[in-house]
Every structure is written in structure tokens, then in C-alpha cells.
Amino acid sequence: MVVHLYGQVCWNREIESIAKRHNLRIIEDNAQAIGAAYVDNLSQSFKRTGSLGDAAGFSFYPGKNLGALGDAGAVATNDDDLALVVRALGNYGVAKKYVSNYQGFNSRLDEMQAAFLDAKLKYLDSENKQRGEIAKQFCENIKNPMIILPNNSNPLFFTTPFNFLHVWHLFVVRTKRRDQLQEYLSKKGIQTLVHYPIPPHKQRAYRNLNRLRLPVTERIHNEALSLPLNTGMNEFEITEIVKVVNQFTNPK
């Protein structure tokens, strides 16, 4: 399973090669990256996330780049047999009326949410482009040495059509003073969130893994902070966030 976290594509030819060599299926977690695309540097070709692996999960939660007005999601696949299984699982396990092949769920997307999504879909690329333009301003203008910006060393982040490579669902920075920075920004009227405070191997649900020590993962979880980024932001708000973040100093 590959996770296109925060809207950034997680894919390369090595992943494809490993899956092929070991006869593995690849499932994409595309919940945060709808509209993003993988750029093959050799062929300079684009392929949308959600169509790279054997199947992909999409989230249309209201806060996503393409959001419904309530809980919603989808699975995409080009495997007809797998599609039949997924449809059955989402319909109480029923593949044929009154015949249950699986212990399924009620995960059907209702018609009203589908209509909202259909109406909003045509704006997805332009809104992702706006997100990319805001992210570019942050990356170019936040100069605080205490802040680690997203890895934007790849020029394709901001030069591909509609910024498809990374759709900036979240703009996540890192700092060793994460809690102090969050408190400071809150006092300045800038809301932030921590995605995600507890690493998976420290979750109670995975007690058998709690003794593991994964220092890189744990450091990231202790340092990550999501700054505001959405298509409703105006130029003053963007400039103010940059200014306030740059004014953050090392607390005593």
C-alpha cells in the first residue's frame, strides 16, 4: 500500500518493479491526493494518482480537495473481478439480491453526495492550481531557520500543468519547537493542526508494536505542524501567515 500523504505523490518505477517481481498487488491510499499525478522523468508522461496501482481508495470528506457535503468515498480499479467484490462489500456483502457472499458493510455513496461531487469535479484542477500557488508563496517567502519546509527541491512541484505532481491538501512544516510555534500562532489568530500526533506503532490499537523504536518516524510526529492552506485564502492572509511565521523566535 502506498500513501500519497498530504497530496504528494508516492510512486516510482522501483515500487512497480518490486510488485511485479513478487507478484504483489499495489493499493493506493489516494484520500489526500485527488488530482495529483505521477511524472515519469524518463518519458515526461503524466498519470493520475488513483490509476497507478491495482486499486485506489478516495476520500471525499468535506475537508478534502474534492469534498462532498458529508462522508463519502470511492474505490477505483481497472480489475473487473475486484470491482465486483468491492461493490459487494460496500453493499452488505450482497453480490446478487438476497445473496450474501461476504460479511460486508453499508458503504454506498448516496445520490445526493454524488451530485454534489459531480458539480464540484470540474473545479478540481483549478482549485488544486490555487493551492499550488499558495504553497509556492509559502516556500519562497518563509525564511525562518527554525522551520523545515516541505521538500520542494523538485522544480516540477510548481511547473507542471495545474501543479499536478503535488496538490497540497496540507502544507506541513517541521520544527523542534512545534508546540511553542503552535501556541504562538494561535495567539496571533492563526489556527494550525497537528497531522498526526501519535505514530502508528505507538497507537494502542497496535500494542504489539508499542515497544518498537523508530526514531525518524517519532521525530517527524513530534515536529510536524500543518499551516492554513485553502482556496478561500486571500493575499493578505497569505502574507500575514508568512510574516508571523518568520517572526517566530527561539523561546527562552
Side-chain angles (χ1 to χ4, degrees):
M1 179 179 285
V2 296
V3 183
H4 306 302
L5 191 64
Y6 304 149
Q8 183 173 350
V9 180
C10 173
W11 197 264
N12 57 34
R13 290 193 171 192
E14 185 177 358
I15 291 173
E16 298 180 57
S17 176
I18 291 171
K20 186 175 182 179
R21 188 163 63 248
H22 296 282
N23 194 28
L24 300 173
R25 286 184 179 267
I26 302 177
I27 300 173
E28 298 174 72
D29 180 343
N30 201 43
Q32 297 186 358
I34 186 167
Y38 167 61
V39 181
D40 189 316
N41 291 325
L42 294 178
S43 64
Q44 286 296 296
S45 61
F46 292 77
K47 194 172 182 181
R48 298 270 191 164
T49 56
S51 66
L52 298 168
D54 296 284
F58 291 76
S59 171
F60 302 129
Y61 184 77
K64 295 297 194 294
N65 292 32
L66 177 63
L69 298 192
D71 280 334
V75 174
T77 181
N78 62 359
D79 184 323
D80 292 338
D81 293 333
L82 181 57
L84 290 173
V85 173
V86 171
R87 287 194 181 98
L89 287 171
N91 186 35
Y92 302 109
V94 176
K96 183 180 178 181
K97 194 169 184 178
Y98 304 129
V99 179
S100 298
N101 292 341
Y102 315 97
Q103 295 181 23
F105 313 90
N106 178 11
S107 299
R108 295 169 298 191
L109 179 67
D110 68 76
E111 290 85 349
M112 188 67 74
Q113 298 300 341
F116 290 135
L117 292 166
D118 184 56
K120 295 175 70 176
L121 182 60
K122 59 178 174 284
Y123 302 107
L124 175 63
D125 288 343
S126 61
E127 291 194 353
N128 281 343
K129 183 179 180 182
Q130 291 178 51
R131 288 177 175 274
E133 290 167 350
I134 296 169
K136 184 177 181 182
Q137 290 189 60
F138 284 164
C139 287
E140 290 179 346
N141 295 296
I142 293 176
K143 305 292 186 181
N144 192 321
M146 297 177 61
I147 307 296
I148 301 173
L149 293 169
N151 180 8
N152 64 323
S153 59
N154 187 339
L156 290 172
F157 266 17
F158 301 112
T159 58
T160 53
F162 302 111
N163 305 99
F164 281 161
L165 185 64
H166 191 332
V167 293
W168 300 99
H169 171 59
L170 298 173
F171 189 91
V172 183
V173 300
R174 287 172 49 203
T175 175
K176 294 179 180 179
R177 304 288 183 177
R178 191 265 307 284
D179 295 342
Q180 292 92 333
L181 175 60
Q182 185 174 37
E183 182 181 1
Y184 163 79
L185 292 175
S186 178
K187 289 179 179 178
K188 297 290 185 179
I190 299 173
Q191 184 182 25
T192 59
L193 288 172
V194 176
H195 298 92
Y196 303 86
I198 305 173
H201 68 287
K202 295 298 183 182
Q203 295 282 358
R204 185 178 179 185
Y206 301 106
R207 296 181 193 84
N208 58 317
L209 302 177
N210 286 174
R211 293 185 179 181
L212 282 179
R213 184 173 180 274
L214 303 175
V216 175
T217 296
E218 291 161 21
R219 183 170 71 249
I220 291 171
H221 279 267
N222 288 329
E223 295 179 352
L225 186 68
S226 299
L227 300 182
L229 194 160
N230 62 75
T231 55
M233 294 171 67
N234 58 43
E235 200 63 35
F236 171 79
E237 291 169 330
I238 298 167
T239 303
E240 186 69 11
I241 290 169
V242 170
K243 182 183 77 173
V244 173
V245 170
N246 281 337
Q247 290 173 346
F248 177 67
T249 57
N250 196 352
K252 302 297 183 182

